[in-house]
Amino acid sequence: MLTDLFDENAVRDLDAKFAGTCQREAFYIPQHGDEDQAYFVGNSLGLQPHAARAAVDDVMFKWQTEAVEGHFNGPTQWLTYHRLVRDQLAALVGALPHEVVAMNTLTVNLHLLMASFYQPVEGRAAILVEKGAFPTDTYAVRSQIEFHGFDASLNLIEVEPDENGWFPTEHIVAAIREHGSQLALVLWPGVQYRTGQVFDMAAIAAAAHEVGAMVGFDCAHSVGNVPMNLHDSDADFAVWCHYKYVNSGPGAVAGAFVHDRHASNPSLPRLAGWWGNRQDVRFLMGPQFEPSNGAEGWQLSNPPVLALAPLRASLELFSSVGIEALRDYSRSMTDYLFTLIDTHFSDHLESVTPRDFKERGCQVSVRILAGRAKGRELFEYLQSRGVLGDWREPDVIRISPAPLYNTHMDILKLARVLREWCDGQG
Ligand SMILES: Cc1ncc(COP(=O)(O)O)c(C=O)c1O
C-alpha cells in the first residue's frame, strides 16, 4: 500500500499497474463541469459502454431493412438472439451454458422460478430469508406463501443479523438446521445489498439440501462484481439483473439459472409460455408444451431483442478481461479505500462492509457516525463536488468502485472531498 495515500503520482502509478484490466476508455463517464465524475454507483446502475449503442443500432437497422425476415436471417437472427449472450453469461456466473438464460426482469424471474421450486405442503411451507432482505425478495416470498394458501406470518422465517449487521455462515447454517423440517425453500442473496457482504453459496445450499429444502439465490449484487460458481454451489436456481455491474442499461433484461439436475425434469411444475417450447416444435403451433432443455425452458415470450442488445456489448467486455482479473483490481481499489477510511476518516465514518476480502466485493458501505442529518449533508456535499455514491436510510452511503471503469484516482478524488468536508466539521 502507498506510504502517502494522497500522493497523486503514486496513485496514478497504481492505476497504471492495472491498465490492461480497467476498460474505462470503453465507457461513457458522466461529466461534472469539465471533469469526469467519480461515479461509484455501479451497484445501482452501471455506466454505458460505447458499444451498447452500436448493438442497439444493429437491431434497429435489421428491423428497418429486413422486417419480419430478421427473425430468421444471419447470425444475429432474433429467433436465437438470447443465445448470443448465453455462453458469456454462463462463464460470468460459473454455470453450464444450458443452465442460464437472459429473460424478463429479476422479480419476474424470481416468481417464475418459485412457481417451480417452491412447492409448500402442510408442515413444510416455510421460506427462510435474511432479515432486511431487499424489499422485492420479501414481497415476492410473502406473496408466494399467501398465493399457495399459507399464512405468511408463520411461514416467512427471517434470520437476524449479528451485532455488525452481518450473517456469518455458521449462523445461517444453524438457522436452516433449526427450522429444517418446516423449510420448503431458502432464498438468500449472493451479496447483501446494504452491507455488501458476500456469502458462501455452496455452504448455504448444502445446509438447505441437508434439511430437504430447495435453495435459490438473488444474485443482483454478485454478477459482474465477484467470481461466481453457480453450478458448483449446487443452487437449485438463481436470478439476477444486468443493469448494475453488468452495465446493460436501465431495466435491462435479467438472468436466470436452473441447475442441470432440473434441466429436463418433467415432474417440476412450471408456468409455461410458447418461447419455452422446444425450438424445433415451437412453430408447429401444437397444443402440447414440450419444454426446451435447461433454463431456456422457463422462457415465456419471444425475447425483447432491443433490450438484449446492450447486454451483448457489455458481456464482450467481461470476456475480454475476465472476472478474476477484475476481482484482483477491485481488491486493490477497495483495500485503498478501506485504508483511507481507517487512517484518515475514522472519526467520522465506519465501514458496515466486512473487512475480510473473502466476504466483500467492490461495494464499501460507510455509516456516518454523526447520524442521518450529517450523513445527508455529506452525501450532498460529495455530489456537489462530482463524487457520486448512493444513499441508504438511515445513515449509510454506498461506494462501489466498479473495476471495469473506476480507478484509484476516482477514490483519491473521493478522499480529497471527504477531507474537505471533515476539516469543515471542526
Ligand atoms: C437484491 C436486489 N434484488 C432485486 C432488485 C430489483 O429487482 P428488479 O430488477 O426486479 O426491479 C434489486 C435492485 O436494486 C436488488 O438490489
Side-chain angles (χ1 to χ4, degrees):
M1 197 32 74
L2 311 176
T3 38
D4 173 2
L5 298 175
F6 285 84
D7 175 347
E8 185 168 326
N9 288 331
V11 173
R12 281 192 199 287
D13 287 347
L14 203 48
D15 277 333
K17 270 177 56 184
F18 294 97
T21 303
C22 183
Q23 301 294 305
R24 187 177 177 86
E25 70 291 348
F27 287 87
Y28 291 104
I29 310 292
Q31 297 296 291
H32 178 77
D34 51 11
E35 277 183 19
D36 286 354
Q37 197 176 54
Y39 186 87
F40 293 115
V41 208
N43 56 284
S44 180
L45 182 71
L47 294 181
Q48 184 183 136
H50 293 168
R53 185 183 295 264
V56 174
D57 282 348
D58 282 351
V59 180
M60 293 299 281
F61 186 71
K62 198 170 175 67
W63 176 25
Q64 178 185 329
T65 53
E66 299 174 30
V68 73
E69 301 289 309
H71 282 104
F72 310 105
N73 283 346
T76 60
Q77 59 179 266
W78 305 326
L79 179 70
T80 50
Y81 199 88
H82 57 282
R83 294 244 175 96
L84 297 176
V85 297
R86 188 183 63 175
D87 293 3
Q88 288 174 327
L89 197 53
L92 190 60
V93 300
L96 303 172
H98 71 277
E99 290 178 318
V100 301
V101 64
M103 62 179 185
N104 310 315
T105 49
L106 186 155
T107 309
V108 172
N109 289 342
L110 185 56
H111 276 298
L112 263 183
L113 294 178
M114 282 199 282
S116 295
F117 294 103
Y118 173 55
Q119 292 302 315
V121 291
E122 206 52 63
R124 192 186 268 279
I127 304 182
L128 182 137
V129 298
E130 96 270 26
K131 178 137 189 163
F134 190 82
T136 211
D137 295 328
T138 313
Y139 304 156
V141 295
R142 196 179 286 142
S143 63
Q144 284 276 340
I145 293 168
E146 288 167 354
F147 180 78
H148 285 274
F150 291 93
D151 183 343
S153 68
L154 301 175
N155 287 295
L156 176 59
I157 297 172
E158 294 177 291
V159 180
E160 294 283 340
D162 69 9
E163 65 285 1
N164 294 313
W166 305 332
F167 299 89
T169 307
E170 54 283 7
H171 194 120
I172 305 166
V173 169
I176 293 173
R177 289 188 179 144
E178 181 192 339
H179 299 282
S181 64
Q182 292 166 262
L183 292 183
L185 176 68
V186 172
L187 179 71
W188 206 262
V191 173
Q192 217 281 339
Y193 82 99
R194 190 184 296 272
T195 63
Q197 184 184 357
V198 175
F199 295 105
D200 181 342
M201 293 196 255
I204 295 168
H209 289 155
E210 199 182 287
V211 300
M214 292 283 191
V215 59
F217 290 96
D218 176 342
C219 294
H221 289 265
S222 317
V223 59
N225 175 4
V226 289
M228 294 164 68
N229 287 301
L230 280 178
H231 177 83
D232 290 345
S233 77
D234 214 27
D236 293 291
F237 72 91
V239 295
W240 60 89
C241 53
H242 292 126
Y243 45 77
K244 298 178 186 291
Y245 298 108
V246 188
N247 310 310
S248 300
V253 177
F257 163 90
V258 176
H259 197 278
D260 176 52
R261 69 178 162 280
H262 304 298
S264 55
N265 177 354
S267 65
L268 269 184
R270 73 175 91 194
L271 298 177
W274 79 306
W275 217 257
N277 217 11
R278 273 187 10 227
Q279 194 181 308
D280 56 329
V281 294
R282 191 181 297 145
F283 287 88
L284 299 178
M285 302 301 195
Q288 199 56 36
F289 178 67
E290 298 176 46
S292 300
N293 187 49
E296 288 186 2
W298 272 264
Q299 294 175 107
L300 297 177
S301 304
N302 73 98
V305 173
L306 280 167
L308 269 174
L311 179 59
R312 273 189 76 195
S314 174
L315 287 174
E316 285 292 333
L317 290 171
F318 279 98
S319 299
S320 69
V321 193
I323 188 74
E324 298 292 343
L326 289 165
R327 177 75 164 151
D328 287 345
Y329 177 40
S330 170
R331 178 176 195 162
S332 176
M333 285 195 289
T334 50
D335 281 350
Y336 176 43
L337 180 52
F338 268 110
T339 312
L340 277 161
I341 294 169
D342 289 349
T343 52
H344 289 79
F345 303 114
S346 58
D347 289 347
H348 298 274
L349 309 174
E350 70 177 3
S351 165
V352 297
T353 300
R355 190 63 201 257
D356 180 350
F357 175 66
K358 288 193 292 306
E359 291 188 59
R360 62 179 161 88
C362 51
Q363 175 181 331
V364 179
S365 300
V366 291
R367 174 180 294 130
I368 293 76
L369 299 175
R372 186 179 189 283
K374 279 287 170 195
R376 284 299 306 181
E377 184 188 302
L378 170 60
F379 176 69
E380 281 157 28
Y381 187 79
L382 290 169
Q383 211 169 4
S384 72
R385 300 304 173 102
V387 177
L388 210 67
D390 74 354
W391 177 256
R392 277 291 167 264
E393 294 292 349
D395 53 9
V396 166
I397 300 176
R398 297 188 298 182
I399 303 287
S400 301
L404 267 179
Y405 51 77
N406 280 119
T407 58
H408 296 84
M409 280 299 290
D410 286 333
I411 297 173
L412 176 59
K413 179 168 179 173
L414 161 71
R416 284 175 170 157
V417 179
L418 269 177
R419 190 162 61 176
E420 275 169 31
W421 185 80
C422 291
D423 287 350
Q425 301 305 299

